[in-house]
């Protein structure tokens, strides 16, 4: 994951095939993100997902202090050099929202396809999007699921165009407008 893909690329979706049911898969993903300082959003997205045949939630994280980090990196000579270090760009991200979802029905009751994706609204007003941070964490989520022994195959990075046209997560922006 790089800066330019985060700034100009399409929204990232990660697909994890896991050897647990959908509720347990979502629970484990929520536990992972909570360990990263994220909290479950208060909106009722779970009901909307169930109507679409999914279970899941949204989680928010990041910090308003991310703006200060960005400012310090831009106005200092040392900051410009630190911009070349991915860990610096990913540290203290601006506020972000992550979507977590899994289909309730599937061909195998002991295997679930878990989706984790960037659910942020448009970040075009920011020089530093939290996308680089969130995608890096989604990669780490895959490693954590493998460490737990439930990952059935390597995680797959997708974009909305890779999802079938009738997939409810393909047009998540429109789906989210319906919650209001």
């Amino acid at each position: 994951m790089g800066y330019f893909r985060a700034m100009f690329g399409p929204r990232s979706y990660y697909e994890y095939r896991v050897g647990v049911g959908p509720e347990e898969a979502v629970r484990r993903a929520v536990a992972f993100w909570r360990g990263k300082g994220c909290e479950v959003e208060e909106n009722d997205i779970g009901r909307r997902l169930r109507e679409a045949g999914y279970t899941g939630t949204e989680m928010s994280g990041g910090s308003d202090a991310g703006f200060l980090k960005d400012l310090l990196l831009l106005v200092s000579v040392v900051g410009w050099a630190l911009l070349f270090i991915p860990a610096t760009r990913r540290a203290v991200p601006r506020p972000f929202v992550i979507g977590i979802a899994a289909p309730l029905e599937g061909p195998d009751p002991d295997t679930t396809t878990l989706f984790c994706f960037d659910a942020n609204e448009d970040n075009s007003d920011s020089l530093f999007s939290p996308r680089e941070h969130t995608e890096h964490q989604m990669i780490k989520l895959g490693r954590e699921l493998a460490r737990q022994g439930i990952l059935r195959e390597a995680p797959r990075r997708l974009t909305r165009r890779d999802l079938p046209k009738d997939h409810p997560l393909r047009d998540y922006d429109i789906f989210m407008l319906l919650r209001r």
Side-chain angles (χ1 to χ4, degrees), residues 1 38 43-44 50 61 64 67 77 87 98 102 110 127 134 138 146 160 168 170 173 177:
M1 175 68 200
C38 297
N43 61 43
D44 188 17
R50 284 200 184 276
D64 289 330
F67 171 76
V77 175
I98 291 295
D110 295 330
L127 181 60
T134 58
M138 287 186 250
R160 65 192 293 161
R170 181 182 171 119
D173 297 338
L177 289 175

Side-chain angles (χ1 to χ4, degrees), residues 50-127:
R50 284 200 184 276
E51 290 171 4
Y54 281 71
T55 184
T57 191
E58 283 183 332
M59 297 189 76
S60 59
S63 169
D64 289 330
F67 171 76
L68 294 174
K69 177 204 73 173
D70 298 350
L71 184 64
L72 287 172
L73 288 175
L74 289 174
V75 299
S76 72
V77 175
V78 174
W80 280 91
L82 291 174
L83 285 175
F84 292 103
I85 302 171
T88 302
R89 292 191 309 265
R90 291 189 303 254
V92 192
R94 288 180 177 238
F96 61 86
V97 178
I98 291 295
I100 301 168
L104 290 167
E105 300 289 325
D108 182 359
D110 295 330
T111 301
T112 301
T113 302
L114 174 69
F115 291 94
C116 190
F117 54 95
D118 182 297
N120 291 304
E121 294 185 20
D122 184 22
N123 292 326
S124 59
D125 63 338
S126 172
L127 181 60

